[in-house]
Amino acid sequence: MVQFSEPELDELYRELILDHYRHPRNKGTLLHATSKSEGYNPLCGDEINVELELAGGVIKDVAFSGRGCSISQASGSMMTDAIKGRTIDEALELLGDFKRMMMEPEVEPAEDLGDLEAFQGVAKFPVRVKCATLAWHVLEDGLERSD
């Protein structure tokens, strides 16, 4: 396993976030959405819409749309990648782990966050935490509406 120094890791994470911002995954709308939710961050103007296609308690497909800063848009892209194909319970657990990482930066993140750990550095900037968590709050709302 390759070990990176902290500055190298920060740069790698920055590049990952910028890649998802420049080339977002799952951006758009769903033809067969079973749940739609939207959110807005009045502090910076970020807007996120999340559409879910749920079947048998599984997130069969997911898409996001909206506009905003690189952090909010990259977070939406990475979130959709991370939850597609998961059960609702698994997605909610991941959501809790992500929000905990952002709100409690002194706590070691859960191991299964994978690339989402790129946002760990954002937690050092409280005003940017809302940007990183917006898509996740919208997802939570969409999953609650699907009950």
Side-chain angles (χ1 to χ4, degrees):
M1 183 171 155
V2 176
Q3 292 289 343
F4 291 100
S5 69
E6 194 164 325
E8 289 174 319
L9 197 56
D10 286 347
E11 181 62 27
L12 184 66
Y13 283 163
R14 252 190 310 278
E15 287 301 317
L16 183 61
I17 289 171
L18 285 174
D19 180 56
H20 274 268
Y21 173 65
R22 292 178 183 138
H23 310 286
R25 283 58 151 187
N26 308 301
K27 189 152 189 181
T29 59
L30 297 180
L31 188 58
H32 302 290
T34 56
S35 176
K36 295 181 182 183
S37 194
E38 60 187 51
Y40 176 69
N41 181 351
L43 293 176
C44 64
D46 293 336
E47 298 175 10
I48 296 278
N49 301 303
V50 174
E51 297 185 9
L52 301 164
E53 182 180 346
L54 304 168
V58 173
I59 299 169
K60 184 176 173 186
D61 204 359
V62 59
F64 84 101
S65 60
R67 59 192 176 99
C69 70
S70 59
I71 293 171
S72 73
Q73 298 302 293
S75 184
S77 174
M78 292 173 75
M79 178 197 72
T80 60
D81 260 0
I83 64 164
K84 190 184 289 189
R86 290 185 185 240
T87 67
I88 291 171
D89 287 343
E90 290 169 338
L92 287 170
E93 185 176 336
L94 184 62
L95 183 149
D97 289 343
F98 183 82
K99 285 172 42 177
R100 196 167 16 270
M101 177 183 73
M102 298 307 298
M103 304 306 287
E104 302 170 19
E106 68 283 353
V107 176
E108 188 68 26
E111 285 188 42
D112 66 346
L113 285 177
D115 285 350
L116 294 170
E117 286 185 30
F119 291 97
Q120 197 171 15
V122 174
K124 297 173 191 166
F125 306 97
V127 73
R128 302 308 300 244
V129 168
K130 290 182 190 278
C131 302
T133 58
L134 178 60
W136 294 87
H137 288 293
V138 175
L139 169 67
E140 188 171 33
D141 183 56
L143 290 172
E144 287 173 359
R145 290 173 186 248
S146 69
D147 290 344

